Each structure stands twice: as structure tokens, then as C-alpha cells.
Amino acid sequence: MQDSDESTSGFQKENILNRMQMQVGRLTRLVQELLDASSIKSGNLLLHLEEASINEMADEIVNDLKSTITSHTFNIHTTANIKVKCDKYRIEQVINNLLTNAVKYSDTTSAINIFIEDCESNVQVSVQDFGNGIPSELMPRIFDRFFRAHGKNKGMLSSVGLGLYISKDIIEKHGGKIWAESVPGKGSTFHFTLPRV
């Protein structure tokens, strides 16, 4: 009986530690978003370009998310290993933001799809969820600074509405485009393009 109690206590401690680590991670991201937004406003968000595989970046991010997010499945769809010249850290930041948003605004157990397509001079990355969708009247505002839609986790301290604003600036600084399509009640797909090497 004592072993069972100790096992339960150990599980509870591990659960509390995991939750604390998640909250610290959220707070760290919030601070970083505020710093990035300040850099964008002052025109000082700098890029450090290198050649990188968009496929490998997506794989790494998905593998990291799978270790902490068990409520959703992540599926990568691609036909080629595509390289771009980019700031690897910043593009990973964009992909991570789109994937965590997809989780935030969709039901548990649903799939998140990532499509990587070779479009001649560009690569197009798309992140699709099957969640709430975005009302048409809000679509023009989704990349605005401090704009937040209401998601499943609206009570959690997880966003100040800067992720998409920062992502838009990063993609445009790379010479790409970012946009979204959405059907309320059926989900959303966010797309971005980057020039190929």
C-alpha cells in the first residue's frame, strides 16, 4: 500500500513539475514576443541568413511539440526536401507559432496537418487545423499587433496577440508572403511562402 502511495505521490510531483515547466515556457515566449515586437516597431529585427532545409526544420519542431503536446496528432505532407536561404531561428519561430496556434484553436484529438510544397521559385508551407475557424469579419485583423481570437484555452496565459504580427514581419523580411483561409466551425489554414535557394 505504501509503494502505491509513493508511486502516486511521485506521479503528482512529476505532473506539477511538468505544469510549472510549461508555464515558465509560456512566460519566456511572452517576454520574447514583447522584445521582438519592440524590435519590429523600431525597425531593428535583424536576420542572419543561411541555407537550410525547410523539411528538417518542420521535422524538428514537430518532434519537439510531440514530446509536450499529446492532445493532437501532427502530420507532415511533402514530396521533396526543399532548401531556402533564411534565418533558421526566425523561420522555426514562425512554424512553431502557427502549429501552437493550431493546437490552441482546435479540439483535442484532432489532427494538425503541415504541407510543404515546391512552387518553382518559392516553397509554400501550410498549417491546417480543424478547429473553431475564424469569423470572416475578424480575418482582416488577424495579423494586427495585440489582436487575439478566443480559443479553447482562452483562460490560459499563453498569448498577448503578437505571434502572427511577428510572423508576418519575419516572412515579409525574407521576401515571402503570409495569409490565412478559414471556414468558421471547420478550421483554418495558414500559408506562407519563402524564396527557394
Short mmCIF file of all heavy atoms in Angstrom, two decimals, residues 64-131:
data_model
loop_
_atom_site.label_atom_id
_atom_site.label_comp_id
_atom_site.label_asym_id
_atom_site.label_seq_id
_atom_site.Cartn_x
_atom_site.Cartn_y
_atom_site.Cartn_z
N ASP A 64 9.67 18.10 -31.30
CA ASP A 64 9.69 18.80 -30.01
C ASP A 64 8.27 18.94 -29.45
O ASP A 64 8.03 18.72 -28.25
CB ASP A 64 10.33 20.18 -30.15
CG ASP A 64 11.83 20.11 -30.32
OD1 ASP A 64 12.41 19.05 -30.05
OD2 ASP A 64 12.42 21.13 -30.76
N LEU A 65 7.33 19.32 -30.31
CA LEU A 65 5.94 19.51 -29.85
C LEU A 65 5.32 18.18 -29.41
O LEU A 65 4.57 18.15 -28.43
CB LEU A 65 5.10 20.13 -30.97
CG LEU A 65 5.40 21.60 -31.29
CD1 LEU A 65 4.56 22.06 -32.48
CD2 LEU A 65 5.12 22.49 -30.09
N LYS A 66 5.65 17.10 -30.10
CA LYS A 66 5.09 15.80 -29.73
C LYS A 66 5.50 15.39 -28.33
O LYS A 66 4.78 14.63 -27.66
CB LYS A 66 5.55 14.74 -30.74
CG LYS A 66 4.80 14.75 -32.05
CD LYS A 66 5.33 13.66 -32.99
CE LYS A 66 4.55 13.61 -34.28
NZ LYS A 66 5.09 12.60 -35.22
N SER A 67 6.64 15.87 -27.87
CA SER A 67 7.12 15.48 -26.53
C SER A 67 6.33 16.19 -25.43
O SER A 67 6.34 15.75 -24.28
CB SER A 67 8.61 15.79 -26.39
OG SER A 67 8.83 17.19 -26.40
N THR A 68 5.65 17.30 -25.76
CA THR A 68 4.90 18.03 -24.73
C THR A 68 3.40 18.11 -25.01
O THR A 68 2.62 18.33 -24.11
CB THR A 68 5.43 19.47 -24.61
OG1 THR A 68 5.38 20.12 -25.89
CG2 THR A 68 6.86 19.49 -24.10
N ILE A 69 3.01 17.92 -26.27
CA ILE A 69 1.59 18.01 -26.63
C ILE A 69 1.10 16.63 -27.09
O ILE A 69 1.50 16.13 -28.14
CB ILE A 69 1.36 19.03 -27.77
CG1 ILE A 69 1.77 20.43 -27.29
CG2 ILE A 69 -0.11 19.04 -28.21
CD1 ILE A 69 1.74 21.49 -28.38
N THR A 70 0.26 16.03 -26.27
CA THR A 70 -0.26 14.69 -26.60
C THR A 70 -1.73 14.75 -27.02
O THR A 70 -2.32 13.73 -27.35
CB THR A 70 -0.11 13.75 -25.39
OG1 THR A 70 -0.80 14.32 -24.27
CG2 THR A 70 1.36 13.56 -25.03
N SER A 71 -2.30 15.94 -27.00
CA SER A 71 -3.72 16.10 -27.30
C SER A 71 -4.03 16.08 -28.79
O SER A 71 -5.17 15.90 -29.20
CB SER A 71 -4.24 17.41 -26.71
OG SER A 71 -3.48 18.51 -27.20
N HIS A 72 -3.01 16.29 -29.64
CA HIS A 72 -3.20 16.38 -31.08
C HIS A 72 -2.17 15.51 -31.80
O HIS A 72 -1.12 15.20 -31.24
CB HIS A 72 -3.05 17.82 -31.57
CG HIS A 72 -4.11 18.76 -31.07
ND1 HIS A 72 -4.22 19.13 -29.75
CD2 HIS A 72 -5.11 19.41 -31.73
CE1 HIS A 72 -5.23 19.96 -29.61
NE2 HIS A 72 -5.79 20.16 -30.79
N THR A 73 -2.49 15.16 -33.04
CA THR A 73 -1.51 14.48 -33.88
C THR A 73 -1.00 15.46 -34.93
O THR A 73 -1.75 16.33 -35.39
CB THR A 73 -2.11 13.25 -34.57
OG1 THR A 73 -3.25 13.67 -35.35
CG2 THR A 73 -2.55 12.22 -33.56
N PHE A 74 0.26 15.32 -35.30
CA PHE A 74 0.88 16.20 -36.29
C PHE A 74 1.31 15.37 -37.49
O PHE A 74 2.01 14.37 -37.34
CB PHE A 74 2.11 16.90 -35.69
CG PHE A 74 1.79 17.77 -34.50
CD1 PHE A 74 1.82 17.25 -33.21
CD2 PHE A 74 1.47 19.11 -34.66
CE1 PHE A 74 1.54 18.05 -32.11
CE2 PHE A 74 1.18 19.91 -33.57
CZ PHE A 74 1.21 19.38 -32.29
N ASN A 75 0.88 15.79 -38.67
CA ASN A 75 1.19 15.07 -39.90
C ASN A 75 1.87 15.99 -40.89
O ASN A 75 1.34 17.05 -41.24
CB ASN A 75 -0.10 14.52 -40.54
CG ASN A 75 -0.92 13.70 -39.57
OD1 ASN A 75 -0.42 12.76 -38.97
ND2 ASN A 75 -2.17 14.07 -39.39
N ILE A 76 3.07 15.61 -41.35
CA ILE A 76 3.80 16.39 -42.34
C ILE A 76 3.62 15.75 -43.71
O ILE A 76 3.85 14.56 -43.88
CB ILE A 76 5.29 16.50 -41.99
CG1 ILE A 76 5.47 17.22 -40.65
CG2 ILE A 76 6.05 17.23 -43.09
CD1 ILE A 76 6.91 17.32 -40.18
N HIS A 77 3.20 16.55 -44.69
CA HIS A 77 2.99 16.08 -46.06
C HIS A 77 3.95 16.84 -46.98
O HIS A 77 3.87 18.07 -47.08
CB HIS A 77 1.55 16.34 -46.51
CG HIS A 77 0.53 15.78 -45.57
ND1 HIS A 77 0.06 14.49 -45.66
CD2 HIS A 77 -0.11 16.34 -44.50
CE1 HIS A 77 -0.84 14.27 -44.71
NE2 HIS A 77 -0.95 15.38 -43.98
N THR A 78 4.85 16.13 -47.64
CA THR A 78 5.79 16.77 -48.55
C THR A 78 6.27 15.76 -49.58
O THR A 78 6.19 14.56 -49.35
CB THR A 78 6.99 17.35 -47.78
OG1 THR A 78 7.83 18.08 -48.67
CG2 THR A 78 7.78 16.25 -47.10
N THR A 79 6.77 16.26 -50.69
CA THR A 79 7.24 15.38 -51.76
C THR A 79 8.72 15.58 -52.06
O THR A 79 9.30 14.84 -52.83
CB THR A 79 6.45 15.62 -53.07
OG1 THR A 79 6.57 17.01 -53.42
CG2 THR A 79 4.99 15.25 -52.88
N ALA A 80 9.34 16.59 -51.46
CA ALA A 80 10.75 16.86 -51.75
C ALA A 80 11.41 17.54 -50.56
O ALA A 80 10.74 18.17 -49.73
CB ALA A 80 10.86 17.75 -52.99
N ASN A 81 12.73 17.41 -50.47
CA ASN A 81 13.49 18.12 -49.46
C ASN A 81 13.87 19.47 -50.05
O ASN A 81 14.67 19.56 -50.98
CB ASN A 81 14.75 17.32 -49.08
CG ASN A 81 15.49 17.96 -47.93
OD1 ASN A 81 14.93 18.75 -47.17
ND2 ASN A 81 16.77 17.64 -47.80
N ILE A 82 13.27 20.54 -49.54
CA ILE A 82 13.40 21.86 -50.14
C ILE A 82 14.24 22.77 -49.27
O ILE A 82 14.00 22.89 -48.07
CB ILE A 82 12.00 22.48 -50.37
CG1 ILE A 82 11.12 21.52 -51.17
CG2 ILE A 82 12.12 23.82 -51.08
CD1 ILE A 82 9.66 21.91 -51.22
N LYS A 83 15.23 23.43 -49.89
CA LYS A 83 16.11 24.32 -49.15
C LYS A 83 15.79 25.78 -49.46
O LYS A 83 15.42 26.12 -50.58
CB LYS A 83 17.57 24.01 -49.48
CG LYS A 83 18.01 22.65 -48.95
CD LYS A 83 19.49 22.43 -49.12
CE LYS A 83 19.91 21.10 -48.49
NZ LYS A 83 21.36 20.87 -48.62
N VAL A 84 15.94 26.60 -48.42
CA VAL A 84 15.72 28.04 -48.56
C VAL A 84 16.88 28.76 -47.89
O VAL A 84 17.60 28.19 -47.06
CB VAL A 84 14.39 28.48 -47.90
CG1 VAL A 84 13.19 27.90 -48.63
CG2 VAL A 84 14.35 28.08 -46.42
N LYS A 85 17.08 30.02 -48.27
CA LYS A 85 18.06 30.85 -47.58
C LYS A 85 17.28 31.70 -46.59
O LYS A 85 16.45 32.52 -46.98
CB LYS A 85 18.81 31.74 -48.57
CG LYS A 85 20.04 32.40 -47.96
CD LYS A 85 20.93 33.01 -49.02
CE LYS A 85 22.22 33.52 -48.40
NZ LYS A 85 23.12 34.12 -49.41
N CYS A 86 17.53 31.48 -45.31
CA CYS A 86 16.68 32.10 -44.30
C CYS A 86 17.42 32.25 -42.99
O CYS A 86 18.51 31.71 -42.79
CB CYS A 86 15.42 31.25 -44.09
SG CYS A 86 15.76 29.66 -43.30
N ASP A 87 16.79 32.99 -42.09
CA ASP A 87 17.21 33.00 -40.70
C ASP A 87 16.51 31.80 -40.06
O ASP A 87 15.30 31.83 -39.80
CB ASP A 87 16.79 34.31 -40.02
CG ASP A 87 17.31 34.43 -38.59
OD1 ASP A 87 17.21 33.43 -37.84
OD2 ASP A 87 17.77 35.51 -38.23
N LYS A 88 17.26 30.74 -39.84
CA LYS A 88 16.68 29.48 -39.39
C LYS A 88 15.89 29.64 -38.09
O LYS A 88 14.77 29.13 -37.95
CB LYS A 88 17.81 28.45 -39.20
CG LYS A 88 17.35 27.02 -38.94
CD LYS A 88 18.55 26.08 -39.01
CE LYS A 88 18.13 24.65 -38.77
NZ LYS A 88 17.86 24.38 -37.35
N TYR A 89 16.44 30.38 -37.15
CA TYR A 89 15.76 30.58 -35.87
C TYR A 89 14.42 31.27 -36.07
O TYR A 89 13.41 30.88 -35.47
CB TYR A 89 16.64 31.42 -34.93
CG TYR A 89 15.91 31.91 -33.71
CD1 TYR A 89 15.64 31.06 -32.64
CD2 TYR A 89 15.47 33.24 -33.63
CE1 TYR A 89 14.96 31.51 -31.52
CE2 TYR A 89 14.79 33.69 -32.50
CZ TYR A 89 14.53 32.83 -31.46
OH TYR A 89 13.84 33.28 -30.37
N ARG A 90 14.39 32.29 -36.93
CA ARG A 90 13.17 33.05 -37.14
C ARG A 90 12.11 32.25 -37.88
O ARG A 90 10.91 32.34 -37.56
CB ARG A 90 13.47 34.36 -37.89
CG ARG A 90 14.30 35.35 -37.08
CD ARG A 90 13.56 35.76 -35.82
NE ARG A 90 14.32 36.74 -35.04
CZ ARG A 90 13.91 37.21 -33.87
NH1 ARG A 90 12.78 36.80 -33.33
NH2 ARG A 90 14.65 38.09 -33.21
N ILE A 91 12.51 31.46 -38.88
CA ILE A 91 11.52 30.65 -39.60
C ILE A 91 10.98 29.54 -38.69
O ILE A 91 9.79 29.22 -38.72
CB ILE A 91 12.11 30.08 -40.91
CG1 ILE A 91 12.47 31.23 -41.85
CG2 ILE A 91 11.12 29.13 -41.59
CD1 ILE A 91 11.33 32.18 -42.18
N GLU A 92 11.84 28.97 -37.87
CA GLU A 92 11.36 27.99 -36.89
C GLU A 92 10.37 28.65 -35.93
O GLU A 92 9.38 28.03 -35.53
CB GLU A 92 12.54 27.41 -36.11
CG GLU A 92 13.38 26.44 -36.92
CD GLU A 92 14.60 25.94 -36.17
OE1 GLU A 92 14.98 26.56 -35.16
OE2 GLU A 92 15.17 24.92 -36.61
N GLN A 93 10.61 29.90 -35.59
CA GLN A 93 9.70 30.65 -34.72
C GLN A 93 8.32 30.78 -35.38
O GLN A 93 7.28 30.60 -34.73
CB GLN A 93 10.29 32.04 -34.45
CG GLN A 93 9.49 32.91 -33.50
CD GLN A 93 10.15 34.27 -33.29
OE1 GLN A 93 11.26 34.54 -33.77
NE2 GLN A 93 9.48 35.14 -32.56
N VAL A 94 8.29 31.06 -36.68
CA VAL A 94 7.03 31.18 -37.41
C VAL A 94 6.29 29.85 -37.44
O VAL A 94 5.09 29.77 -37.13
CB VAL A 94 7.27 31.69 -38.86
CG1 VAL A 94 5.97 31.62 -39.67
CG2 VAL A 94 7.81 33.10 -38.85
N ILE A 95 7.00 28.78 -37.81
CA ILE A 95 6.36 27.46 -37.89
C ILE A 95 5.82 27.04 -36.53
O ILE A 95 4.69 26.56 -36.41
CB ILE A 95 7.35 26.40 -38.43
CG1 ILE A 95 7.77 26.74 -39.87
CG2 ILE A 95 6.73 25.00 -38.39
CD1 ILE A 95 8.91 25.89 -40.40
N ASN A 96 6.62 27.24 -35.49
CA ASN A 96 6.19 26.87 -34.14
C ASN A 96 4.95 27.67 -33.73
O ASN A 96 4.01 27.12 -33.13
CB ASN A 96 7.32 27.12 -33.15
CG ASN A 96 6.99 26.62 -31.76
OD1 ASN A 96 6.95 25.43 -31.50
ND2 ASN A 96 6.73 27.55 -30.85
N ASN A 97 4.93 28.95 -34.06
CA ASN A 97 3.78 29.79 -33.72
C ASN A 97 2.51 29.29 -34.42
O ASN A 97 1.44 29.20 -33.81
CB ASN A 97 4.05 31.24 -34.09
CG ASN A 97 2.88 32.13 -33.75
OD1 ASN A 97 2.49 32.28 -32.61
ND2 ASN A 97 2.27 32.72 -34.77
N LEU A 98 2.63 28.97 -35.71
CA LEU A 98 1.45 28.50 -36.44
C LEU A 98 0.95 27.17 -35.90
O LEU A 98 -0.27 26.94 -35.79
CB LEU A 98 1.77 28.38 -37.93
CG LEU A 98 2.11 29.69 -38.66
CD1 LEU A 98 2.39 29.42 -40.14
CD2 LEU A 98 1.00 30.73 -38.50
N LEU A 99 1.87 26.29 -35.52
CA LEU A 99 1.47 24.98 -35.00
C LEU A 99 0.84 25.10 -33.61
O LEU A 99 -0.18 24.46 -33.33
CB LEU A 99 2.67 24.03 -34.96
CG LEU A 99 3.17 23.54 -36.32
CD1 LEU A 99 4.47 22.77 -36.16
CD2 LEU A 99 2.12 22.65 -36.99
N THR A 100 1.43 25.91 -32.74
CA THR A 100 0.85 26.05 -31.40
C THR A 100 -0.49 26.78 -31.46
O THR A 100 -1.40 26.47 -30.67
CB THR A 100 1.81 26.76 -30.44
OG1 THR A 100 2.25 28.00 -31.02
CG2 THR A 100 3.03 25.90 -30.16
N ASN A 101 -0.65 27.71 -32.39
CA ASN A 101 -1.96 28.34 -32.58
C ASN A 101 -2.99 27.32 -33.04
O ASN A 101 -4.14 27.33 -32.60
CB ASN A 101 -1.88 29.46 -33.62
CG ASN A 101 -1.43 30.79 -33.03
OD1 ASN A 101 -1.25 30.92 -31.83
ND2 ASN A 101 -1.24 31.77 -33.88
N ALA A 102 -2.59 26.44 -33.95
CA ALA A 102 -3.50 25.41 -34.45
C ALA A 102 -3.97 24.52 -33.31
O ALA A 102 -5.15 24.14 -33.25
CB ALA A 102 -2.80 24.57 -35.53
N VAL A 103 -3.06 24.19 -32.40
CA VAL A 103 -3.44 23.39 -31.23
C VAL A 103 -4.40 24.18 -30.34
O VAL A 103 -5.43 23.67 -29.89
CB VAL A 103 -2.19 22.97 -30.43
CG1 VAL A 103 -2.57 22.38 -29.09
CG2 VAL A 103 -1.35 22.00 -31.23
N LYS A 104 -4.07 25.44 -30.11
CA LYS A 104 -4.84 26.28 -29.21
C LYS A 104 -6.29 26.46 -29.67
O LYS A 104 -7.22 26.52 -28.87
CB LYS A 104 -4.17 27.65 -29.10
CG LYS A 104 -4.72 28.55 -28.01
CD LYS A 104 -4.13 29.95 -28.10
CE LYS A 104 -2.63 29.94 -28.16
NZ LYS A 104 -2.06 31.32 -28.25
N TYR A 105 -6.48 26.53 -30.99
CA TYR A 105 -7.81 26.85 -31.52
C TYR A 105 -8.51 25.63 -32.13
O TYR A 105 -9.40 25.79 -32.96
CB TYR A 105 -7.70 27.98 -32.55
CG TYR A 105 -7.26 29.28 -31.91
CD1 TYR A 105 -5.97 29.77 -32.09
CD2 TYR A 105 -8.13 30.00 -31.08
CE1 TYR A 105 -5.57 30.95 -31.48
CE2 TYR A 105 -7.73 31.17 -30.47
CZ TYR A 105 -6.44 31.64 -30.68
OH TYR A 105 -6.04 32.80 -30.06
N SER A 106 -8.11 24.44 -31.73
CA SER A 106 -8.81 23.24 -32.22
C SER A 106 -9.04 22.26 -31.07
O SER A 106 -8.36 22.32 -30.05
CB SER A 106 -8.02 22.56 -33.34
OG SER A 106 -6.75 22.14 -32.89
N ASP A 107 -10.01 21.38 -31.26
CA ASP A 107 -10.36 20.41 -30.23
C ASP A 107 -9.24 19.40 -30.03
O ASP A 107 -8.46 19.11 -30.95
CB ASP A 107 -11.64 19.66 -30.61
CG ASP A 107 -12.86 20.57 -30.58
OD1 ASP A 107 -12.98 21.37 -29.63
OD2 ASP A 107 -13.69 20.48 -31.50
N THR A 108 -9.19 18.83 -28.83
CA THR A 108 -8.22 17.77 -28.57
C THR A 108 -8.56 16.57 -29.46
O THR A 108 -9.69 16.39 -29.89
CB THR A 108 -8.26 17.34 -27.10
OG1 THR A 108 -9.60 16.95 -26.77
CG2 THR A 108 -7.84 18.48 -26.19
N THR A 109 -7.55 15.78 -29.70
CA THR A 109 -7.58 14.57 -30.54
C THR A 109 -7.65 14.88 -32.03
O THR A 109 -7.59 13.98 -32.84
CB THR A 109 -8.75 13.60 -30.19
OG1 THR A 109 -10.00 14.15 -30.67
CG2 THR A 109 -8.84 13.32 -28.71
N SER A 110 -7.77 16.14 -32.41
CA SER A 110 -7.84 16.43 -33.84
C SER A 110 -6.43 16.51 -34.43
O SER A 110 -5.44 16.68 -33.72
CB SER A 110 -8.60 17.74 -34.10
OG SER A 110 -7.90 18.84 -33.56
N ALA A 111 -6.36 16.40 -35.75
CA ALA A 111 -5.07 16.39 -36.44
C ALA A 111 -4.67 17.81 -36.84
O ALA A 111 -5.51 18.65 -37.12
CB ALA A 111 -5.16 15.51 -37.68
N ILE A 112 -3.37 18.03 -36.87
CA ILE A 112 -2.79 19.25 -37.41
C ILE A 112 -1.95 18.82 -38.61
O ILE A 112 -1.04 17.99 -38.47
CB ILE A 112 -1.89 19.97 -36.39
CG1 ILE A 112 -2.61 20.20 -35.05
CG2 ILE A 112 -1.36 21.28 -36.98
CD1 ILE A 112 -3.80 21.11 -35.11
N ASN A 113 -2.24 19.36 -39.77
CA ASN A 113 -1.51 18.99 -40.98
C ASN A 113 -0.53 20.08 -41.38
O ASN A 113 -0.87 21.27 -41.36
CB ASN A 113 -2.48 18.74 -42.14
CG ASN A 113 -3.30 17.48 -41.93
OD1 ASN A 113 -2.79 16.47 -41.45
ND2 ASN A 113 -4.57 17.53 -42.28
N ILE A 114 0.67 19.67 -41.78
CA ILE A 114 1.68 20.59 -42.30
C ILE A 114 1.99 20.15 -43.73
O ILE A 114 2.40 19.00 -43.96
CB ILE A 114 2.96 20.57 -41.45
CG1 ILE A 114 2.66 20.84 -39.98
CG2 ILE A 114 3.98 21.58 -41.99
CD1 ILE A 114 2.63 19.61 -39.12
N PHE A 115 1.80 21.06 -44.67
CA PHE A 115 2.08 20.78 -46.07
C PHE A 115 3.28 21.62 -46.51
O PHE A 115 3.31 22.83 -46.29
CB PHE A 115 0.87 21.13 -46.95
CG PHE A 115 -0.37 20.36 -46.62
CD1 PHE A 115 -1.31 20.87 -45.73
CD2 PHE A 115 -0.61 19.11 -47.18
CE1 PHE A 115 -2.46 20.15 -45.41
CE2 PHE A 115 -1.75 18.39 -46.88
CZ PHE A 115 -2.68 18.91 -45.99
N ILE A 116 4.26 20.97 -47.13
CA ILE A 116 5.43 21.67 -47.68
C ILE A 116 5.45 21.40 -49.18
O ILE A 116 5.60 20.26 -49.61
CB ILE A 116 6.73 21.18 -47.01
CG1 ILE A 116 6.66 21.39 -45.49
CG2 ILE A 116 7.94 21.91 -47.61
CD1 ILE A 116 7.80 20.75 -44.74
N GLU A 117 5.27 22.47 -49.95
CA GLU A 117 5.12 22.31 -51.40
C GLU A 117 6.19 23.09 -52.16
O GLU A 117 6.51 24.23 -51.81
CB GLU A 117 3.74 22.82 -51.83
CG GLU A 117 2.58 22.11 -51.16
CD GLU A 117 1.25 22.73 -51.53
OE1 GLU A 117 0.84 22.58 -52.70
OE2 GLU A 117 0.63 23.39 -50.66
N ASP A 118 6.70 22.46 -53.21
CA ASP A 118 7.65 23.10 -54.10
C ASP A 118 6.87 23.86 -55.17
O ASP A 118 6.16 23.26 -55.97
CB ASP A 118 8.53 22.02 -54.75
CG ASP A 118 9.65 22.60 -55.59
OD1 ASP A 118 9.63 23.82 -55.85
OD2 ASP A 118 10.54 21.83 -55.99
N CYS A 119 6.98 25.18 -55.14
CA CYS A 119 6.23 26.02 -56.09
C CYS A 119 7.19 26.80 -56.98
O CYS A 119 7.22 28.03 -56.99
CB CYS A 119 5.31 26.98 -55.34
SG CYS A 119 4.13 26.17 -54.26
N GLU A 120 8.02 26.07 -57.73
CA GLU A 120 9.02 26.64 -58.64
C GLU A 120 10.01 27.54 -57.90
O GLU A 120 10.92 27.06 -57.27
CB GLU A 120 8.33 27.37 -59.79
CG GLU A 120 7.48 26.44 -60.65
CD GLU A 120 6.81 27.16 -61.81
OE1 GLU A 120 7.01 28.37 -61.97
OE2 GLU A 120 6.09 26.48 -62.56
N SER A 121 9.82 28.86 -57.93
CA SER A 121 10.79 29.75 -57.30
C SER A 121 10.57 29.90 -55.80
O SER A 121 11.40 30.46 -55.10
CB SER A 121 10.74 31.14 -57.96
OG SER A 121 9.45 31.71 -57.79
N ASN A 122 9.46 29.38 -55.30
CA ASN A 122 9.13 29.50 -53.88
C ASN A 122 8.85 28.14 -53.25
O ASN A 122 8.55 27.17 -53.95
CB ASN A 122 7.88 30.36 -53.68
CG ASN A 122 8.10 31.82 -54.05
OD1 ASN A 122 9.16 32.36 -53.79
ND2 ASN A 122 7.10 32.43 -54.66
N VAL A 123 8.95 28.10 -51.94
CA VAL A 123 8.41 26.98 -51.18
C VAL A 123 7.20 27.53 -50.42
O VAL A 123 7.22 28.66 -49.94
CB VAL A 123 9.45 26.39 -50.20
CG1 VAL A 123 9.99 27.44 -49.25
CG2 VAL A 123 8.85 25.24 -49.39
N GLN A 124 6.12 26.74 -50.38
CA GLN A 124 4.94 27.14 -49.63
C GLN A 124 4.72 26.17 -48.48
O GLN A 124 4.68 24.96 -48.67
CB GLN A 124 3.69 27.18 -50.52
CG GLN A 124 2.43 27.60 -49.75
CD GLN A 124 1.24 27.82 -50.67
OE1 GLN A 124 1.34 28.55 -51.66
NE2 GLN A 124 0.12 27.20 -50.35
N VAL A 125 4.58 26.72 -47.28
CA VAL A 125 4.31 25.93 -46.08
C VAL A 125 2.91 26.28 -45.61
O VAL A 125 2.55 27.46 -45.51
CB VAL A 125 5.33 26.23 -44.97
CG1 VAL A 125 5.01 25.43 -43.71
CG2 VAL A 125 6.75 25.94 -45.45
N SER A 126 2.10 25.26 -45.34
CA SER A 126 0.73 25.47 -44.89
C SER A 126 0.48 24.66 -43.62
O SER A 126 0.91 23.51 -43.52
CB SER A 126 -0.27 25.04 -45.97
OG SER A 126 -0.03 25.71 -47.19
N VAL A 127 -0.20 25.27 -42.66
CA VAL A 127 -0.56 24.60 -41.41
C VAL A 127 -2.08 24.61 -41.31
O VAL A 127 -2.70 25.67 -41.27
CB VAL A 127 0.06 25.30 -40.19
CG1 VAL A 127 -0.46 24.67 -38.90
CG2 VAL A 127 1.59 25.21 -40.25
N GLN A 128 -2.66 23.41 -41.29
CA GLN A 128 -4.12 23.26 -41.32
C GLN A 128 -4.62 22.65 -40.01
O GLN A 128 -4.08 21.67 -39.51
CB GLN A 128 -4.50 22.33 -42.48
CG GLN A 128 -5.98 22.03 -42.59
CD GLN A 128 -6.26 20.94 -43.62
OE1 GLN A 128 -5.52 19.97 -43.73
NE2 GLN A 128 -7.33 21.11 -44.38
N ASP A 129 -5.67 23.28 -39.46
CA ASP A 129 -6.33 22.69 -38.30
C ASP A 129 -7.81 22.51 -38.61
O ASP A 129 -8.32 22.99 -39.63
CB ASP A 129 -6.14 23.55 -37.04
CG ASP A 129 -6.88 24.89 -37.10
OD1 ASP A 129 -8.12 24.89 -37.22
OD2 ASP A 129 -6.21 25.95 -37.03
N PHE A 130 -8.49 21.79 -37.75
CA PHE A 130 -9.92 21.50 -37.94
C PHE A 130 -10.69 22.01 -36.73
O PHE A 130 -11.54 21.33 -36.18
CB PHE A 130 -10.13 20.00 -38.16
CG PHE A 130 -9.41 19.47 -39.37
CD1 PHE A 130 -8.14 18.92 -39.25
CD2 PHE A 130 -9.99 19.56 -40.62
CE1 PHE A 130 -7.46 18.44 -40.36
CE2 PHE A 130 -9.32 19.09 -41.75
CZ PHE A 130 -8.05 18.54 -41.61
N GLY A 131 -10.37 23.22 -36.32
CA GLY A 131 -10.94 23.77 -35.11
C GLY A 131 -12.04 24.77 -35.32
O GLY A 131 -12.89 24.61 -36.20
#
